[in-house]
Every structure is written in C-alpha cells, then in structure tokens.
Amino acid sequence: MSTELSIIVPVYNGGKYLRPCLDSIVAQTYSNWELLLIDDGSCDGSAAVCDEYASRDSRITVVHKPNGGQAAARNDGVALAKGRYVCFVDCDDWLEPAMYATMIQTLEQQQADIVICGYIEEYATRQKHVSADGVLTVYDAHDALKLVLEGRIGSYLWSMLFRREVVQEPMLSLNPYEDHATIFKWISHARRVVTLHQAFYHYRQLQTSSLHSYNPKNGNHYFLAIKERYYYIADHHLLPGWEAENRRLYLRGCIKLTKDLARMPDYDSQLGAIIEEVRDELRGFLPISRREIGTKYYTRLRLLLADINLYVRLLRLSSVFAISKKRKDKGLV
C-alpha cells in the first residue's frame, strides 16, 4: 500500500519536548503515514531520540545533516516525501490524536487542496484556543489568498495539510518568517482551500523561540518576507484588479515594521539600519497619499522620510506613555 501522508518534522535540539511530539504523531488515529525526521545538526541528544523512534517504527525515517536552518530542513523533507498529502510539525509541539484523520477526510469531502485547522497556544500556566469555533468554510484560491494577505487566515505551516502537487516553491531561509514568505504561493496553486476551526494542534509558547527572543535578523527577515509577498504577487499577476490593495497592504506593512523596530526594548544601530533600508524602499513608491494608506500611517511616513532619528525618538517616547496608560487603566500604578 502506498503512503498517503508525509509528516515532516525539522529537529534541532528538541530537548525534553521531542518525545511528546513524536508520541503524539505515533498515536494518530490515521495510520497510513511516513514521518520524516530531519535532524538539523542537533547537539543535545535529539539525534539519538530520532534514531530510537525510527528503530521501533518502520514508518519513521531519519536524516542527519549539518545545521542549515528550519527552512532548509523542511525543503529536504519535501524532496523526500512520498505521500499524496504533506504536512509539517515543529518538534516542540504536539497533536490531538484525530488531527490528520479529520483533516484528510475534510480535504477529500470538500475536494480541496489545502485544509487549515485551529490550534491551541500552550503557555506555562494557561491555554488559548484560536480558530476553534467549529465552523468549516470553503474558499477558492483567490479568496483564500486575499484573506492570507489581509491576515485573516494565519500563515502557520503546522496548521495546514496540503496535497503534494501544490507544494511547489522551496521555502526561503527567513526564520521565523519562512511560512509568511511561502504559504501564499502554495495557496495560489490550489483550487479550493478549507478552514476547519477545530483546535487540533498544540502550539507551545517558549520564550526561547525565535519569535519571542530579540534578534535583529527577525526584523530584516520580516521585511524580506513581506517584500517577497508584494513583488511575487505583482510579478505573477496573481490577483487581477487587486493591485492597489496589494500595494496598500505592503506600504502599511513596511511602515508598521519601522514602528515596531523603533520601539524594541533593545533598540540599536542594527535595527536602525533595517529602518533605513525600509525607508529607502518606501521612497521608491512615492508619491504616497494620505487617502491610500490612512492618516496614522501617512503621518508616520512623512516623519520617517524627513528625519529617522526624530522618528525613532518620538515613537519610543510615545511607547512609554502608552505602557504607562495601560498600567494605569489596569490599576497597576
């Protein structure tokens, strides 16, 4: 019997979370799968754990490679995948037992190419259910693509199951924003996309993850990711008649990024250099009108173009007042 589902898990120093992750995959009620563990140069014993699980289950394959980053590991997994369907799991998360059985059944029933489930954010002392109201919605590729660009469908690779044929372009090495720069391309190849608001995926919130830790590359990688989105859609004419909205979303995304970077607690010259790079990109889109991007973004853009140092100082000062107001509103001061 041929393999139906390829589950790709990049593993880099999975530590104490790796075994629960792998156990949740082995416990899936859907059993016709292969698990591709891409050991990305782990140095904490994770490689041995991967080999141990592979020795116990013939459906598990381990690839040991020098560290090259999560995107490269995922690309290696896709190249090896034999299944009709492809999905991805992060090695510090875990799954509900019926996740893949339900998602595959939904995909086939709706004659779709991608199904997206809800998830549970797992904090140290609490949980948060996201997109978990039980609603099922079917979109064509154009509508789904617009919703992704507007942020109304999340770009989280691990919440999605794909037919193999839509997974075409390789992921870019833009940690932690490779999903942001890639998923929209795969959606553009789909006929139908289903959002299934059942929370099957447990997304562990770790302060040590790249999304929660300070790294100047994060800001630069986010800029490259939204830049990839804008130019890819424009160059491939993916959304005819939506060109102005694509431009508006990109401009506002760039301006918001400069605000977020300016307000970083550890603001330094590296972040300042990214703001300068974004400013230079925005200059290439002039003239930009107040009507196009809205008053708030237009005001920030004018100040950013006029004086970066003043722009950063004012944003950092306004951030302090905003934090003080929130604390006052909560009765903390």
Side-chain angles (χ1 to χ4, degrees):
M1 181 172 62
S2 60
T3 300
E4 290 288 289
L5 173 64
S6 296
I7 306 169
I8 298 168
V9 181
V11 178
Y12 178 70
N13 294 347
K16 63 182 179 180
Y17 304 119
L18 180 57
R19 288 182 184 275
C21 173
L22 300 182
D23 288 340
S24 75
I25 294 173
V26 173
Q28 288 295 296
T29 58
Y30 186 86
S31 60
N32 188 7
W33 49 259
E34 64 171 351
L35 172 57
L36 301 168
L37 298 174
I38 313 300
D39 168 36
D40 192 31
S42 296
C43 53
D44 72 337
S46 293
V49 173
C50 291
D51 290 337
E52 174 194 329
Y53 276 75
S55 70
R56 302 200 310 246
D57 193 323
S58 62
R59 297 173 296 178
I60 301 176
T61 299
V62 182
V63 176
H64 300 289
K65 61 186 287 291
N67 181 254
Q70 184 167 251
R74 285 170 168 170
N75 290 336
D76 290 342
V78 170
L80 294 170
K82 300 180 181 129
R84 292 175 57 203
Y85 317 110
V86 176
C87 62
F88 302 83
V89 178
D90 288 353
C91 70
D92 49 7
D93 299 331
W94 75 96
L95 320 175
E96 287 294 307
M99 177 169 175
Y100 293 132
T102 308
M103 292 179 78
I104 289 173
Q105 181 183 45
T106 301
L107 185 141
E108 293 298 342
Q109 286 178 342
Q110 301 298 328
Q111 298 182 329
D113 295 308
I114 302 172
V115 60
I116 307 169
C117 74
Y119 56 95
I120 304 165
E121 292 181 351
E122 296 284 352
Y123 298 87
T125 59
R126 63 184 177 92
Q127 293 180 325
K128 179 182 178 183
H129 287 67
V130 181
S131 300
D133 57 12
V135 175
L136 183 151
T137 310
V138 182
Y139 303 96
D140 65 25
H142 276 204
D143 287 342
L145 185 54
K146 289 176 183 177
L147 291 171
V148 167
L149 296 174
E150 292 170 346
R152 294 161 64 189
I153 292 179
S155 291
Y156 297 117
L157 194 62
W158 36 256
S159 68
M160 302 182 177
L161 184 139
F162 305 86
R163 287 194 194 272
R164 178 65 180 82
E165 53 265 32
V166 305
V167 182
Q168 297 181 17
E169 292 82 2
M171 302 201 77
L172 303 178
S173 295
L174 297 176
N175 185 46
Y177 299 107
E178 54 262 40
D179 299 16
H180 202 80
T182 307
I183 288 172
F184 77 95
K185 299 175 187 175
W186 296 352
I187 287 176
S188 74
H189 303 310
R191 297 162 299 170
R192 288 155 67 90
V193 176
V194 178
T195 56
L196 175 63
H197 286 186
Q198 295 184 37
F200 291 123
Y201 192 95
H202 294 263
Y203 177 29
R204 199 185 299 273
Q205 302 294 297
L206 300 172
Q207 291 302 314
T208 54
S209 74
S210 52
L211 277 172
H212 293 95
S213 56
Y214 166 71
N215 184 341
K217 285 185 179 179
N218 285 3
N220 187 51
H221 285 182
Y222 181 73
F223 175 46
L224 294 175
I226 62 174
K227 195 173 181 179
E228 178 72 12
R229 278 188 170 191
Y230 171 76
Y231 284 104
Y232 186 95
I233 289 168
D235 293 345
H236 290 79
H237 308 288
L238 291 185
L239 295 170
W242 213 65
E243 291 85 359
E245 182 65 9
N246 185 35
R247 170 184 155 107
R248 184 184 76 85
L249 289 173
Y250 179 53
L251 296 176
R252 289 177 64 143
C254 287
I255 296 166
K256 182 180 183 302
L257 173 59
T258 63
K259 178 205 75 173
D260 293 342
L261 293 177
R263 287 179 169 176
M264 287 289 291
D266 299 312
Y267 181 81
D268 58 16
S269 60
Q270 288 180 284
L271 295 178
I274 299 171
I275 292 177
E276 288 186 25
E277 186 179 357
V278 177
R279 177 203 59 186
D280 293 342
E281 171 73 4
L282 289 166
R283 281 176 170 165
F285 285 81
L286 295 175
I288 301 169
S289 70
R290 183 191 305 270
R291 182 175 181 181
E292 180 179 12
I293 59 175
T295 298
K296 178 175 67 174
Y297 288 92
Y298 183 77
T299 302
R300 287 176 180 159
L301 173 65
R302 291 290 301 270
L303 183 55
L304 172 65
L305 295 174
D307 190 328
I308 283 184
N309 292 329
L310 179 59
Y311 176 76
V312 171
R313 289 200 301 272
L314 289 176
L315 280 173
R316 294 185 68 78
L317 183 62
S318 65
S319 177
V320 171
F321 283 115
I323 292 172
S324 297
K325 184 178 184 302
K326 286 182 181 178
R327 289 176 60 84
K328 184 177 181 179
D329 291 342
K330 291 179 179 180
L332 299 176
V333 293

